[in-house]
Structures are given as structure tokens and as C-alpha cells.
Amino acid sequence: MKQKIFAINDLINFIGQLSFNKTVNYINIQFSFFISRITGRPQHRGMPVSLSIEPTTSCNLRCPECPSGLRQFSRPQGRLSLQGFKDIIDPLKSTLAYLLLYFQGESFLNTDVVEMIKYASRNKIYTATSTNGHFLNDDQSCSIVESGLDRLIISLDGLDQDTYEKYRRGGELEKVLSGIRDLVKWKKQLRSSKPYIILQFLVFKNNQDQIPAVKKLAREMGVDKLELKTAQVYNFEDDTDLIPDIPKYSRYIKGKDGRWQLKKKIRNRCFRMWSGAVITWDGRVVPCCFDKDAQHQLGTLDGSNFKDIWNSKKYNAFRQQILRDRNSIDICRNCTE
């Protein structure tokens, strides 16, 4: 019951930050997507209602299914400056409803990220970010609550150190748990309903037996929501010890040949291509969060403005490919949408 109340409060908070312009823009996006699906040709009106911006590619962990963790980016690595963030936000703030300050890397390794949150909050943009939880010390937790952050996703993929570090390599479970307690404490102390704290548990074969225990832990710690999430595995076609045995918590299913395949059918549609985009720390515009290495770059803010990229022939050609043959796009073949 409490989780439902917290979810309703979060929804009310989101709706409270909408404006007439943002609402009209969203209606235009939905209508454009509907017409595009009917005609099979990309029609587009409006600007993004959601945006993911990458604070940094750096990370303190070495997770085996993550480019940041593997240190295997083919694109440049670095961090976004506060001024660079403002330059992205300012032209879009009248229509932007949702901002995720995360793509690759650990967001709080960018020392300006709290100031970015404050800036977005002052501009009435619902703002979220994601973290592995290692930088949620007492002072930082207080700053996060005071910043106006609306949603915080904290990854916790094991309830003992051995299980936890099988995926979160280099991580310290107790440090994450301590940080969550600090964050919950400051929410209560400052009498704040924000941020909406989501404890994210990636389900793997090695931690699937801990699901009942993590549900209990979430209740005891006082987080707002527990999210049991399926994990993306790069080379999923071959048998791997990461994919869980419980079908509900797996993106994959074994085919007749004994190899894993994506469980969900790939449809020739994707609302994300009409509603939002991802911007890397150095200004590369990519279609979605599955393009982790920016292989499908649709433009760069170095020399171009976002609106021109968003309405460009190249972006519309990508939308056309989504409508015609989405299965031919590599990043779509491991997607849950």
C-alpha cells in the first residue's frame, strides 16, 4: 500500500511540473507517432518530451556487461561541463518534461551533477538519475535531497558481498547500503517527498534466489519502490551463466536449437524515436540508450543546434528504418521495447 501511495505522489509531482506548452508538445508527438504508424512514413511534429544526458563516461566499477565497466568505448571519454549542460537544456526547457541525467558511467563522478539537477529543477523539468550508490555518503545524500531531484535509481544486485561483486566488480555492498540509509534519513529529516527512490535489482542466475530477501530489505530500508529488472546480455545467443532460470526475469528464451534468443518480438515501431533522444557528454546525439557506443550518431551539437538534428533527413531516415525493418538495426535486437 505504501509503495502505491509513493507512486501516486511521484505522479502528482510529475504532473505538477507540466505546462501548457509541454502538454501540447506531447499531444503533437503522440499524434505524429500515430500517423507514422498508420502510413508507414515518418511524420514528426514537436520537440522531445524526454531526454537523456550523459554526465560522464567514467565509472568506479567494472561490470562485465557495460562499456564503462569494461573500459571498451570506441568513442571519446570525458565529462560534461555545467555550462555545456545549460547550453543543451536552455533551448529545450519549454517543451522538455523528463530529463534523465544518465547514459553511461557513474553520474556522481561528475562533481557538477548536483548543480545540473538544481538547474533543471529550477526550470520545472522532472529530473532523474541513476547510480551504483558508492557516492551516497551523508553530505552527498543531504545535497541530493536539497537539490530537488525527483527520482533516483540505485543499483543493488546482491545481498552478500560475494553475490554482489560477481556483477558489480570492485564494488562494496556495505557502502551502498549505508548510502541508501543516509538518503532515506535525509528525506525524513528534511521532510521531503523527493527523490522517489527506486532500488533496482538486476536479476541474474546467481542472485535470483535472493528475490524474496531483497523485497524484505526494500521494505525495511524505506525505499519507495523495488524494481526487479531483466538484465541485458551482449552475447546472449550463447549459453551464459548470467541469464536467470526464471522466465519472468529474463529477456531471453531458449530456441529449438538450444541457443538463447530475445523473448519479446521486435515490432516495427518505437515511440522513443518520436519522443526522446540521448546526448553524450561531448554532444553526440544518438537515438536511444541501447546505442551505448554512439554507433548510430545522428548529429553533433558541435556546430549544429538540436532542433536541426531532430528534424534532419538523417534522423527521419532512421525513423523510417524503424517503421520498415527494425530487426535490421543492431541496437534494436537486444531491446525490451
Side-chain angles (χ1 to χ4, degrees):
M1 179 60 73
K2 283 186 177 181
Q3 287 199 358
K4 289 183 179 179
I5 294 172
F6 295 147
I8 291 170
N9 288 339
D10 181 56
L11 178 61
I12 291 171
N13 174 41
F14 175 76
I15 293 173
Q17 299 188 63
L18 294 179
S19 64
F20 178 77
N21 283 345
K22 292 178 183 180
T23 304
V24 170
N25 181 64
Y26 181 72
I27 292 170
N28 282 332
I29 293 290
Q30 283 279 13
F31 182 72
S32 298
F33 182 58
F34 174 75
I35 295 297
S36 299
R37 285 175 54 192
I38 295 297
T39 63
R41 300 178 63 184
Q43 308 291 322
H44 205 279
R45 295 180 183 177
M47 296 298 288
V49 295
S50 66
L51 201 64
S52 294
I53 299 178
E54 180 179 63
T56 182
T57 53
S58 300
C59 189
N60 55 307
L61 302 184
R62 289 185 172 271
C63 305
E65 294 293 322
C66 173
S68 294
L70 293 170
R71 313 306 196 251
Q72 289 184 353
F73 283 114
S74 62
R75 60 184 173 94
Q77 299 181 52
R79 62 184 290 273
L80 177 66
S81 68
L82 180 58
Q83 186 57 53
F85 173 75
K86 292 179 179 179
D87 290 343
I88 296 171
I89 290 296
D90 285 345
L92 302 173
K93 60 189 179 185
S94 65
T95 51
L96 187 62
Y98 181 92
L99 169 67
L100 177 61
L101 263 170
Y102 175 74
F103 180 29
Q104 297 301 297
E106 166 53 45
S107 301
F108 289 100
L109 279 173
N110 186 322
T111 54
D112 288 326
V113 75
V114 172
E115 291 302 316
M116 294 177 188
I117 294 166
K118 289 179 181 178
Y119 189 77
S121 183
R122 287 196 297 268
N123 282 285
K124 302 288 286 182
I125 301 169
Y126 183 100
T127 305
T129 190
S130 181
T131 179
N132 60 45
H134 284 78
F135 301 96
L136 300 178
N137 56 41
D138 194 63
D139 289 341
Q140 183 76 297
S141 294
C142 178
S143 297
I144 289 169
V145 176
E146 291 179 329
S147 72
L149 180 67
D150 295 288
R151 176 174 293 206
L152 181 60
I153 302 166
I154 307 170
S155 295
L156 183 79
D157 310 322
L159 300 186
D160 59 79
Q161 182 61 28
D162 287 343
T163 303
Y164 176 76
E165 68 181 352
K166 184 174 177 63
Y167 185 73
R168 300 287 169 180
R169 295 176 184 174
E172 298 178 40
L173 175 63
E174 283 305 319
K175 183 177 284 190
V176 180
L177 294 174
S178 176
I180 296 171
R181 294 187 189 100
D182 285 336
L183 193 67
V184 172
K185 178 194 75 174
W186 278 109
K187 274 188 68 175
K188 291 178 179 177
Q189 194 161 319
L190 295 173
R191 297 182 179 181
S192 175
S193 62
K194 303 188 299 184
Y196 183 65
I197 303 173
I198 298 176
L199 188 64
Q200 179 178 276
F201 190 84
L202 289 179
V203 181
F204 298 108
K205 185 181 289 186
N206 73 301
N207 67 8
Q208 61 187 6
D209 61 324
Q210 296 183 341
I211 291 174
V214 78
K215 290 179 178 179
K216 180 182 178 183
L217 178 68
R219 291 192 299 269
E220 291 175 348
M221 296 195 81
V223 300
D224 300 314
K225 181 183 179 182
L226 171 67
E227 189 170 89
L228 300 172
K229 188 176 180 182
T230 61
Q232 178 184 2
V233 179
Y234 279 116
N235 299 314
F236 64 84
E237 293 92 345
D238 299 315
D239 199 354
T240 171
D241 61 358
L242 288 175
I243 299 177
D245 299 320
I246 307 171
K248 179 181 178 181
Y249 299 117
S250 175
R251 299 185 187 188
Y252 316 100
I253 189 170
K254 280 196 174 181
K256 294 180 180 179
D257 60 358
R259 303 185 75 195
W260 293 100
Q261 60 189 32
L262 194 65
K263 186 166 59 176
K264 191 171 182 179
K265 185 179 179 181
I266 299 175
R267 301 179 298 173
N268 290 332
R269 64 183 72 169
C270 181
F271 185 57
R272 289 183 184 182
M273 297 306 103
W274 276 255
S275 65
V278 175
I279 301 178
T280 65
W281 73 273
D282 58 345
R284 299 164 190 245
V285 179
V286 297
C288 82
C289 61
F290 282 88
D291 191 10
K292 297 179 179 181
D293 216 11
Q295 296 296 308
H296 297 271
Q297 183 177 312
L298 298 171
T300 174
L301 297 180
D302 182 16
S304 301
N305 65 61
F306 183 87
K307 186 174 182 179
D308 288 342
I309 297 170
W310 183 246
N311 294 313
S312 66
K313 291 182 179 179
K314 189 173 184 178
Y315 219 129
N316 272 332
F318 192 86
R319 294 184 182 111
Q320 179 67 75
Q321 191 175 1
I322 290 286
L323 294 170
R324 186 171 294 165
D325 185 16
R326 187 171 165 223
N327 192 58
S328 67
I329 305 173
D330 57 343
I331 59 173
C332 296
R333 290 196 293 270
N334 208 346
C335 177
T336 54
E337 293 296 320

